[in-house]
Amino acid sequence: GAVVSQHPSWVICKSGTSVKIECRSLDFQATTMFWYRQFPKQSLMLMATSNEGSKATYEQGVEKDKFLINHASLTLSTLTVTSAHPEDSSFYICSAIRDRDYNEQFFGPGTRLTVL
Amino acid sequence: AQSVTQLDSHVSVSEGTPVLLRCNYSSSYSPSLFWYVQHPNKGLQLLLKYTSAATLVKGINGFEAEFKKSETSFHLTKPSAHMSDAAEYFCVVSSLYSSASKIIFGSGTRLSIRP
């Protein structure tokens, strides 16, 4: 159990377009999901915490108007990269918490975004 | 405040020899500590976790880690390395039940295995 999926697994888009990435908890309900980005050969950087039914909490330095997060249900959070630019190219990973008693996150497989 | 430091950016060992990946942390609250492994272009897989139970934690694929509060360490070990262990390893500290809830990733250690 505790499987998290992401869609798409990779996407290539033109500069100026918007891209939506979905994160789903397949077999559990997730009141809290997290979005990370990872540059090549670097660690994961937490972008925002997504709470079901409320506004996301963004980390310092992350533009909330650039990276729109919607957590509309207990099994789905979406990240929309608006007006994408080449510097937004990265590996985006989501995670979800199943049981808050254990602080454990379950990670999705990631989405590779390339902006031309 | 919380932080996590992985002391080695790259570790290289021969197949069949022991593995040691070092992690030190600081936390103002009772932390939960995790080790994750990431293979190239893949998501993260949990190896093991410490959540204030037994200080010696056994994980998957023969890995284990020992929580040492006096040394603020949570080093990852494996008695005998296998070629398939070559990957990036991340030490993570989290404390989601404080007013300063944070999830902090270490910078990662790349493990290479020599034949």
Side-chain angles (χ1 to χ4, degrees):
Chain A
V3 179
V4 175
S5 70
Q6 281 184 242
H7 178 80
S9 55
W10 59 270
V11 56
I12 301 173
C13 69
K14 293 182 179 180
S15 186
T17 61
S18 294
V19 175
K20 180 185 284 188
I21 302 170
E22 293 184 348
C23 177
R24 293 182 184 272
S25 56
L26 298 184
D27 51 2
F28 66 99
Q29 294 183 331
T31 55
T32 303
M33 291 182 170
F34 302 92
W35 286 96
Y36 297 85
R37 67 185 300 181
Q38 184 181 32
F39 292 106
K41 299 187 184 302
Q42 294 189 26
S43 187
L44 278 72
M45 182 191 77
L46 179 64
M47 299 174 66
T49 302
S50 172
N51 297 297
E52 187 267 337
S54 64
K55 291 183 178 180
T57 303
Y58 291 81
E59 295 298 303
Q60 192 171 9
V62 178
E63 299 176 60
K64 57 184 67 177
D65 295 330
K66 173 77 172 176
F67 299 99
L68 300 179
I69 291 173
N70 185 7
H71 195 155
S73 78
L74 288 171
T75 59
L76 173 64
S77 176
T78 59
L79 168 68
T80 302
V81 183
T82 62
S83 187
H85 290 281
E87 57 265 31
D88 298 326
S89 298
S90 188
F91 195 50
Y92 291 88
I93 301 175
C94 73
S95 70
I97 292 177
R98 178 181 63 180
D99 184 340
R100 290 186 64 87
D101 290 338
Y102 294 97
N103 284 297
E104 182 176 349
Q105 301 174 69
F106 298 92
F107 286 86
T111 297
R112 173 74 59 194
L113 171 63
T114 301
V115 185
L116 301 177
Chain B
Q2 292 188 139
S3 68
V4 59
T5 303
Q6 291 183 244
L7 297 159
D8 308 293
S9 59
H10 182 212
V11 170
S12 179
V13 302
S14 297
E15 188 176 19
T17 64
V19 174
L20 170 63
L21 305 183
R22 298 183 293 168
C23 174
N24 285 96
Y25 72 93
S26 68
S27 178
S28 303
Y29 308 92
S30 297
S32 294
L33 294 159
F34 305 83
W35 276 99
Y36 287 90
V37 61
Q38 185 182 32
H39 289 91
N41 294 311
K42 298 290 185 183
L44 278 75
Q45 180 183 20
L46 178 67
L47 283 177
L48 48 80
K49 61 183 178 182
Y50 167 78
T51 54
S52 72
T55 56
L56 181 61
V57 182
K58 294 187 182 297
I60 63 172
N61 300 335
F63 285 95
E64 62 181 40
E66 186 172 6
F67 174 72
K68 292 186 177 180
K69 187 174 182 178
S70 60
E71 299 177 10
T72 61
S73 68
F74 190 58
H75 301 333
L76 181 71
T77 60
K78 182 173 181 177
S80 177
H82 191 273
M83 294 299 293
S84 61
D85 295 328
E88 190 83 17
Y89 291 79
F90 294 100
C91 181
V92 177
V93 60
S94 76
S95 179
L96 296 177
Y97 297 109
S98 68
S99 59
S101 59
K102 276 295 184 185
I103 302 165
I104 307 294
F105 271 75
S107 55
T109 298
R110 182 164 61 90
L111 177 62
S112 300
I113 311 297
R114 300 187 299 271

